[in-house]
Structures are given as C-alpha cells and as structure tokens.
Amino acid sequence: MTIKDIAKKCGVSVSTVSRVLNDHPDVSAANREKVLSVVQEEHFVPNNSARDLVKSPSDAIGLVVRGVGNPFFTDIIHAVEEACEAAGYTMVLHQIRSGEDELRAGAELARSKRLRGLILLGGQFDYTPERTAALGIPFVCCTYTNSFGTLPSDTYSSVSIDDRKEAYKLVSLLTKQGHRKIAVILDSIEDHSISQLRYHGYCQALSDSGIALDPELVVETVSFEMTDGYTGMEKLMRRRDDFTAVFVVADALAVAAMKALHDHGKRVPEDCSVVAIDGIEMSAYTVPTLTTLVQPRKELGRESVGILVDMIEGRGKNRHLLLDTAIRMGGSICSL
Amino acid sequence: MTIKDIAKKCGVSVSTVSRVLNDHPDVSAANREKVLSVVQEEHFVPNNSARDLVKSPSDAIGLVVRGVGNPFFTDIIHAVEEACEAAGYTMVLHQIRSGEDELRAGAELARSKRLRGLILLGGQFDYTPERTAALGIPFVCCTYTNSFGTLPSDTYSSVSIDDRKEAYKLVSLLTKQGHRKIAVILDSIEDHSISQLRYHGYCQALSDSGIALDPELVVETVSFEMTDGYTGMEKLMRRRDDFTAVFVVADALAVAAMKALHDHGKRVPEDCSVVAIDGIEMSAYTVPTLTTLVQPRKELGRESVGILVDMIEGRGKNRHLLLDTAIRMGGSICSL
C-alpha cells in the first residue's frame, strides 16, 4: 500500500493525502476524514526515509543487558555510560530478562534508536552469522565471547576474561596448598557458557597436578540463583564428606554455599576452603570474606566502548580483548 | 517554521515540500534536493499529529527505575512485567541512576513511547504539582509515597509500606526483648526519604518504652552503599561500646554492619542484636541470617499495575495503598 493507493481508494489526489498526513491546514474536513479513515483501515505507515534525512545523525550507543538485577553488571553499566559520554555518545540502556533473546532486542533497539553501535552484556556464547545479521551495526560482546558459536572473528568484537585460564589459576592455587579432593559447583558442565569454560579450567588444573577427575565431586545446579548454591552444597555434602575445598563458578553461588557449610556445622576454611570467580560486592561481606578472582568490571565496560567507538569512527576493526582478573585474598581458604 | 515557510524559502509549492517529506516519487531531483537542504538548514521537524492518528493506540506502561542494580528492585520489576502482560499491556523499562530525575525521565518516556500510564520505582518523596505536571498521564509511586511533598492525594497513586509504622514495630520488638541501648544506622535523619520516616518510627518506639533518645547512638552514613554500612558501624563502635542492639534502615547496610561487628570481635547476636527492613536475598545468607521485615515485593509491583490499569481503563481513581511487611526471624537478635 503506497500513498498513491490511498489516494485512489479515497478518490482524491496524492497531494491531498500528503497534506493530510502532514497535518496541513489546506484540506477540507471531508477529505481529511476520508483519508484518515482509509489510512487507519489499511494500517498504512508512511515511508519515513526522506523524513529521517532531516534528523541530525544519531549519537546513540545501545547497551542491552541480559539479566535484570545481576549485581555483577552494575559497575559495568556505569563504566559504559561514563565512557560513552566521554567519547561524545549517548548510552541507550535496555534491560531484558535472562530468558529473552539479546540479539532480537538489540536489532529492535538498533532500528528504533538509530544506534551507531551496540554493546551486549550478559549474552550467549554461541551465535551464528545468521542470527547476528539482523543487527546491521558493529557490536561488542562484553564479559563473554563467541566460544561455542560460528561467528568469524572479524565480524564481532569481544571484551572478556579468559574463563578457562582463570579457573585453571584458581584451582591450581588450591592444589598448591595441598588440596586434592576439590569439588566444583556450577550450573552445568555443558551450558555452552561460563560454567563449561570454567569447568574445563578446573579439569585441566586437576590433570596437571595428577589428580583424577571424580564425577561425584562435580555438582550441577542448573541455575545461578543463590538458593541453588545452597542446595548444591547440600547435595555435595550428602554425597561425600571427604572434600577439603570447593571451587564455585560464581560469587553469588559461593556466598550461599558457604552458608550451607555453616548450617551443617562445617567451618570455612578449617573444614572446607571455598573459592570463586567474579568479585561482586556482596562476597566482600561474608564471614570469612570470600577469596575470589575479581573481574575488572570498569575496564570491561570502558574497553568495550573504546573498541566500538573506534569502529564507528572508522579508526579500527573488530578486536578481541582478554583482560586479567585480580585475586582478592579473603579468609575462605587455607593450606592442608 | 512551517511547511509553508519551507515552500516559500525554496520557491516551490507546499505540495512539493509535502511530497518530498513523504518520499513521494513525483518530484524532480532538483526540487527534492532544494527542499531537503532547506529542511536540514532550518532543522525543520514536521508536525506529526496527523501521522500519530494513523498508529494504533499504544499499549505501553512505563516503568522508570531509579537506582540501577538495586537488588531490592529485581522482583518488583518482574512482578510489574507479569502484571502488565496479564492485563494486556506492554511494560517499557527505563533505568536511571540514583542522581537522575525520574520525573523528567518519565515525561520523556511518556512522549517517546506514547505511554498510557507510568510506574515510578525508587523515586523521591517530595514532589510538587509543578514538577509532576509534565507527565500528563496517570502515575503510581511504587515502594514510596509523597510524604514530604505537596501533591494533592487525588493527583497520584502510591503503593508502599508504612515506613514509620514498620520501623516502630521492629524497634518495639527489641525493647520488648529488654534492649534499651538501641543504636540506629541510616543515611540521614533528614533525607526526606525512607531514613527520615524510619527514624521517626525508631524515635517513637523508644519514647513509648520510656527510653530517652541518645544522639550518640544515631549514626548517619550519607549513602546506601554497603561500604557505608561497614564504616557506619565502625563509627558507632568508636563512639560507644554499651549498645546491645542496632536497627539498620536497610538490609544491604545491615549485612555490611554485621561484618564490621565480626571484624571487631563482636558476636551477633550475643554481643549485639541486628535488625533491618527490606528482606533482600543477600541477607538470607549471612551468618547468622539477618532478622528483617520483608517487603512484599511481588505485591508492590502487582498492586501498582492494578491501580494504574484501573485508571487507564476508566474504572478507578487515584488510590494509596499501604502494604504490610512480614518478619523473617533470622538468628541476629536475642533477648537481654
């Protein structure tokens, strides 16, 4: 349906339809009513491409955050906002729930806000070129990369930690302190996401210390809710009582796991050492303080914006940045 | 600048300008270029009111959340989203930082998304009619009300707990258990917000038990960051060592305050009872579990949508709902 079809259907000229659509006064009330009624009937949406030329170029960078209320994201969101402003861009924040599709949300935001570029926070690790094609603008995966997908590396950017390497470092710290019965609590060993990557690091660290993988010490929680960290630890305690350390893949789960140990009369770290990765605020206030690898949240946000702005302004190509964590030595581990 | 002025400036007819703006093919390339160049020069924005008539009525309810990453809000956001969907509306989420103006953000969102109604989560308690006039649509204050402002009560709706009454209940629980040296940690006694209201409840409970207010036992933290809960408790311990209980105005601050007590060799609850209000997830995993008044988060969200939809659909007027908390008895208090 074009403006011509509307005119024909109404028995008026194309200019009359045009004048009605532009709210021009020089149209008779009868013609105006006729045109608007057909336009509504036909769900006619005028082509706005000429109109868009009128607008100044957008300065919008989109940030799609998957997982409303994930405390890990708060500092990153602030860092992205500050870096956007410093570079002369406006951040458009859009939060979606964990079950939603960040690529679809990103593509819609790109169109409705005429985004110049997009940062995805908390997305999936297994994109295909078909699924990202709809975005149509440069994008950066922040805190993750396409480890399980098929995107050519020059078609997207990423800023993340090396999940596998960091898990390896952390579990090696435990083996160096004499631990050999080291359990792991994660959501799934095949989640195509951080748990799977960190699990690989765990397995490698055990193997490099000559420790055989013991499937009974691997607890899958299915989710990242705190309550699952608690029940995951209870499950482990029902299975075995000879483990001396636990690597929990995320801080929030670890805080709940420590509570479960306490409630079942086990002391941290005397009876069981606990380590995790993330470094969220909450885990600095547990008793004892959780020993964790702190992700460089501000840098993750800042570098994502830096790469994106370079691409928008034609200075750079897609890049992949791996940042290091910093260990926060709490009181939750001890040597055997 | 109207479409007529553009036509005059270009030396073409109004219909020609109209045709260009509507991307109509029947315009010469020369005229098209001339019109677009003047339109850009003059930053002309066409009047879209006729065009808006074309669109179907909006089904959008806006949710402006002030305080990105506040864990207390997560469940409320989900409840609002579910209730909107159940009522046949679409929730449009917009998060702003604590320093930003939720009324301005709400007014912009109302226009850009053609909102039917607005829910404000985490806003200020002291609106004036002048400041809310720009919204132009029904709105509900969720988790707070206009305690320190001048809005006529029939011009807005609110769904919240009675902060003063709940604080009174909680401090009375401590006095009934024999505590008389009861400290309070809050951001400010004159914040025109929850701290001030909860402080009034604290004062009233002391007074009703014949306990004189002791200014040295009132600690102001200036913010709601966890780190301020920690340093607030340290400040209290430097001032005095004879308090036997502390009422902390928010769970997150209380978790940090408990950690400070522990780090300074004080046991909870043997040496000091700790209570708070909010009932966030994190405080269920402290050792011991925090005793707190749990806000009915799902109900706060659901009732806000209910009131708003009633107004949008012409079934109801502005209303003010006070919901009750439920106590979660943790292990952080004991009798003297």
Side-chain angles (χ1 to χ4, degrees):
Chain A
M1 177 74 47
T2 69
I3 193 168
K4 265 189 186 164
D5 302 321
I6 300 282
K8 202 169 164 191
K9 199 153 184 193
C10 298
V12 301
S13 72
V14 166
S15 332
T16 301
V17 176
S18 191
R19 281 202 293 276
V20 171
L21 289 178
N22 283 289
D23 202 24
H24 193 279
D26 291 355
V27 189
S28 72
N31 275 347
R32 183 180 300 277
E33 210 182 326
K34 208 189 301 176
V35 170
L36 286 177
S37 116
V38 171
V39 153
Q40 283 182 312
E41 215 168 81
E42 301 287 339
H43 302 294
F44 175 68
V45 179
N47 183 333
N48 281 334
S49 60
R51 177 148 302 174
D52 284 346
L53 284 176
V54 174
K55 297 179 191 158
S56 55
S58 155
D59 66 350
I61 285 178
L63 176 63
V64 172
V65 183
R66 189 157 170 269
V68 175
N70 184 335
F72 175 62
F73 292 156
T74 313
D75 290 342
I76 299 177
I77 295 171
H78 290 175
V80 167
E81 187 172 25
E82 279 173 15
C84 282
E85 270 172 31
Y89 291 82
T90 302
M91 180 187 86
V92 178
L93 176 67
H94 185 69
Q95 300 218 3
I96 60 174
R97 293 172 71 163
S98 299
E100 289 182 68
D101 182 345
E102 70 276 12
L103 292 180
R104 196 176 149 178
E108 282 171 12
L109 197 68
R111 274 193 301 276
S112 66
K113 298 290 179 185
R114 299 187 302 138
L115 300 181
R116 305 286 297 276
L118 182 68
I119 295 170
L120 299 167
L121 183 53
Q124 293 158 306
F125 293 53
D126 51 1
Y127 298 144
T128 59
E130 292 71 31
R131 289 188 59 216
T132 56
L135 293 178
I137 49 171
F139 68 100
V140 182
C141 301
C142 180
T143 70
Y144 67 108
T145 188
N146 202 231
S147 315
F148 301 99
T150 57
L151 295 186
S153 68
D154 62 348
T155 61
Y156 74 106
S157 291
S158 66
V159 181
S160 66
I161 63 165
D162 184 335
D163 288 289
R164 190 186 161 116
K165 187 187 87 179
E166 300 295 346
Y168 180 88
K169 258 168 51 181
L170 197 54
V171 177
S172 298
L173 179 70
L174 293 171
T175 60
K176 272 178 212 130
Q177 297 201 334
H179 294 278
R180 295 187 67 83
K181 299 278 187 190
I182 303 170
V184 62
I185 296 178
L186 39 68
D187 78 328
S188 157
I189 60 171
E190 286 185 326
D191 69 349
H192 275 210
S193 187
I194 61 161
S195 283
Q196 188 166 348
L197 292 170
R198 294 179 185 177
Y199 176 65
H200 285 162
Y202 162 84
C203 293
Q204 188 67 46
L206 292 186
S207 164
D208 286 0
S209 294
I211 302 167
L213 180 69
D214 181 344
E216 275 201 343
L217 295 179
V218 179
V219 177
E220 294 178 294
T221 62
V222 187
S223 98
F224 280 102
E225 297 294 317
M226 290 185 77
T227 176
D228 298 307
Y230 191 92
T231 53
M233 179 56 88
E234 287 189 317
K235 198 165 153 187
L236 178 61
M237 288 186 282
R238 276 196 304 274
R239 278 191 203 162
R240 297 276 283 269
D241 66 355
D242 60 345
F243 59 91
T244 63
V246 181
F247 162 45
V248 190
V249 288
D251 272 25
L253 289 179
V255 169
M258 281 169 70
K259 173 76 166 170
L261 284 167
H262 172 87
D263 288 354
H264 289 80
K266 289 215 179 218
R267 293 162 304 160
V268 177
E270 295 83 350
D271 300 324
C272 179
S273 291
V274 179
V275 293
I277 298 180
D278 278 348
I280 59 174
E281 189 176 34
M282 182 201 308
S283 69
Y285 295 98
T286 51
V287 174
T289 303
L290 180 65
T291 295
T292 184
L293 296 183
V294 182
Q295 295 212 41
R297 295 196 288 273
K298 287 189 178 176
E299 218 181 331
L300 284 162
R302 215 163 34 216
E303 294 286 359
S304 297
V305 174
I307 290 176
L308 194 56
V309 167
D310 279 352
M311 280 196 290
I312 291 171
E313 299 181 354
R315 275 193 309 273
K317 292 182 178 172
N318 275 307
R319 286 194 287 143
H320 299 276
L321 209 55
L322 286 175
L323 301 179
D324 287 322
T325 62
I327 192 159
R328 183 181 75 206
M329 264 299 174
S332 67
I333 60 171
C334 64
S335 299
L336 271 200
Chain B
M1 179 72 52
T2 70
I3 193 167
K4 265 188 186 165
D5 301 321
I6 300 282
K8 203 170 164 190
K9 201 154 180 191
C10 298
V12 302
S13 72
V14 166
S15 333
T16 301
V17 177
S18 190
R19 279 202 294 275
V20 171
L21 289 178
N22 282 289
D23 203 24
H24 194 279
D26 290 354
V27 190
S28 73
N31 274 348
R32 182 180 301 277
E33 210 182 330
K34 209 189 303 177
V35 170
L36 285 177
S37 116
V38 171
V39 153
Q40 282 182 312
E41 214 168 81
E42 302 286 339
H43 302 293
F44 175 69
V45 179
N47 183 333
N48 281 333
S49 61
R51 178 148 301 173
D52 284 346
L53 284 176
V54 173
K55 297 178 189 158
S56 55
S58 156
D59 67 350
I61 285 178
L63 176 63
V64 172
V65 183
R66 190 157 170 269
V68 174
N70 184 335
F72 175 61
F73 292 156
T74 312
D75 289 344
I76 298 177
I77 295 172
H78 290 176
V80 167
E81 186 172 25
E82 279 174 15
C84 281
E85 269 172 32
Y89 292 82
T90 303
M91 179 187 85
V92 178
L93 176 67
H94 184 68
Q95 301 219 1
I96 60 174
R97 293 171 71 163
S98 299
E100 289 181 69
D101 182 345
E102 70 276 12
L103 292 179
R104 196 176 149 177
E108 281 170 14
L109 197 68
R111 275 193 300 277
S112 67
K113 300 290 180 185
R114 298 186 304 139
L115 300 181
R116 305 287 297 276
L118 182 67
I119 295 170
L120 298 166
L121 183 53
Q124 294 158 305
F125 293 53
D126 52 1
Y127 299 143
T128 60
E130 292 72 29
R131 289 189 58 216
T132 56
L135 293 178
I137 48 171
F139 68 100
V140 182
C141 301
C142 181
T143 70
Y144 67 108
T145 188
N146 201 232
S147 315
F148 301 99
T150 58
L151 294 186
S153 68
D154 61 347
T155 62
Y156 74 107
S157 290
S158 66
V159 181
S160 65
I161 63 166
D162 184 335
D163 289 288
R164 191 187 160 116
K165 186 186 89 181
E166 300 296 346
Y168 180 89
K169 258 168 52 182
L170 198 53
V171 176
S172 299
L173 180 70
L174 294 172
T175 60
K176 272 179 213 130
Q177 297 200 333
H179 295 277
R180 295 187 68 82
K181 299 278 187 190
I182 303 169
V184 62
I185 296 179
L186 39 69
D187 78 328
S188 157
I189 61 171
E190 286 185 327
D191 69 348
H192 276 208
S193 186
I194 60 161
S195 283
Q196 187 167 348
L197 292 170
R198 294 180 186 177
Y199 176 65
H200 285 162
Y202 161 84
C203 293
Q204 189 67 46
L206 292 186
S207 164
D208 286 0
S209 293
I211 302 169
L213 181 68
D214 181 343
E216 276 202 342
L217 294 180
V218 179
V219 176
E220 294 178 294
T221 62
V222 186
S223 97
F224 280 102
E225 298 294 316
M226 291 185 77
T227 176
D228 298 307
Y230 191 92
T231 53
M233 180 56 88
E234 288 189 316
K235 198 164 153 187
L236 178 62
M237 288 186 283
R238 275 196 306 273
R239 279 191 200 162
R240 297 276 284 269
D241 67 354
D242 61 344
F243 59 91
T244 62
V246 181
F247 162 44
V248 190
V249 288
D251 272 25
L253 289 179
V255 169
M258 281 169 71
K259 172 76 166 170
L261 284 167
H262 172 87
D263 288 355
H264 288 79
K266 289 214 179 221
R267 293 162 303 161
V268 176
E270 296 84 349
D271 300 323
C272 179
S273 292
V274 179
V275 294
I277 298 180
D278 278 348
I280 60 175
E281 189 177 34
M282 183 200 310
S283 70
Y285 295 98
T286 51
V287 174
T289 302
L290 180 65
T291 296
T292 184
L293 296 183
V294 182
Q295 294 212 42
R297 296 196 288 274
K298 287 190 177 174
E299 218 180 331
L300 284 162
R302 213 162 35 214
E303 294 286 358
S304 296
V305 174
I307 291 178
L308 194 57
V309 167
D310 278 352
M311 279 194 292
I312 292 170
E313 299 181 354
R315 274 194 309 274
K317 291 182 179 173
N318 276 306
R319 286 192 288 142
H320 299 276
L321 209 55
L322 286 175
L323 302 179
D324 287 321
T325 63
I327 193 159
R328 185 181 73 207
M329 266 299 176
S332 68
I333 60 171
C334 65
S335 299
L336 272 199

